[in-house]
């Protein structure tokens, strides 16, 4: 396995592992609603509806990250769009931390992934794409 192939494979593995979080958390939020976050019932119906909607969105974003894995070197536009969505979510989570206080350790970990790891993944994917550019046409779709 050459350096280009090993870098691509490593990126694919990292994305696969990280994408499991939004997929699993999304499913849990859709199925359980606020109970997923250990919020004692009863809770407002609007909170339940909003959390389940956002959980569905979280699930969809996680699945979209998985769609980048095959041919990851040619999915630059999609990869960057998902990264931007994830980063914006991290900014919102940071605003919550500043406005409402420190959340649980899991949410702090998510914040670190969203604001630190995701930009590093964009850089890594660009390197993989640039190394593959002489060998393949980049489409991003």
């Amino acid at each position: 396995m050459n350096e280009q192939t090993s870098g691509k494979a490593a990126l694919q593995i990292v994305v696969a592992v990280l994408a499991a979080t939004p997929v699993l958390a999304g499913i849990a939020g859709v199925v359980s609603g606020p109970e997923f976050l250990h919020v004692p019932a009863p809770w407002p119906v609007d909170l339940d509806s909003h959390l389940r909607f956002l959980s569905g969105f979280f699930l969809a974003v996680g699945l979209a990250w998985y769609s980048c894995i095959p041919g990851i070197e040619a999915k630059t536009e999609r990869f960057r769009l998902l990264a931007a969505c994830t980063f914006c979510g991290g900014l919102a989570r940071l605003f919550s931390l500043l406005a409402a206080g420190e959340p649980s350790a899991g949410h702090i970990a998510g914040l670190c992934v969203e604001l630190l790891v995701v930009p590093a993944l964009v850089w890594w994917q660009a390197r993989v794409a640039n190394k593959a550019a002489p060998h393949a046409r980049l489409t991003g779709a």
Side-chain angles (χ1 to χ4, degrees):
M1 184 179 295
N2 64 32
E3 181 185 339
Q4 178 181 331
T5 305
S6 65
K8 174 184 169 182
L11 176 61
Q12 289 171 309
I13 291 166
V14 169
V15 170
V17 169
L18 292 176
T21 298
V23 168
L24 296 174
I27 291 169
V30 167
V31 171
S32 301
E35 185 179 3
F36 165 66
L37 298 173
H38 308 290
V39 175
W43 46 78
V45 173
D46 286 347
L47 174 64
D48 185 277
S49 175
H50 194 65
L51 185 97
R52 289 179 200 255
F53 169 83
L54 293 175
S55 294
F57 189 79
F58 208 43
L59 170 61
V61 168
L63 293 173
W65 277 110
Y66 278 116
S67 78
C68 290
I69 294 172
I72 199 164
E73 72 282 0
K75 305 266 177 60
T76 300
E77 291 176 18
R78 182 184 313 177
F79 199 93
R80 288 181 181 175
L81 176 61
L82 291 168
C85 291
T86 303
F87 188 83
C88 285
L91 291 175
R93 196 186 300 269
L94 178 61
F95 180 76
S96 174
L97 183 146
L98 297 172
E102 188 173 324
S104 67
H107 287 265
I108 294 291
L111 176 68
C112 291
V113 169
E114 293 151 0
L115 297 183
L116 301 173
V117 175
V118 168
L121 290 176
V122 169
W123 173 83
W124 189 2
Q125 190 277 339
R127 286 183 48 100
V128 168
N130 287 336
K131 287 180 182 178
H135 308 291
R137 188 174 76 81
L138 302 178
T139 64

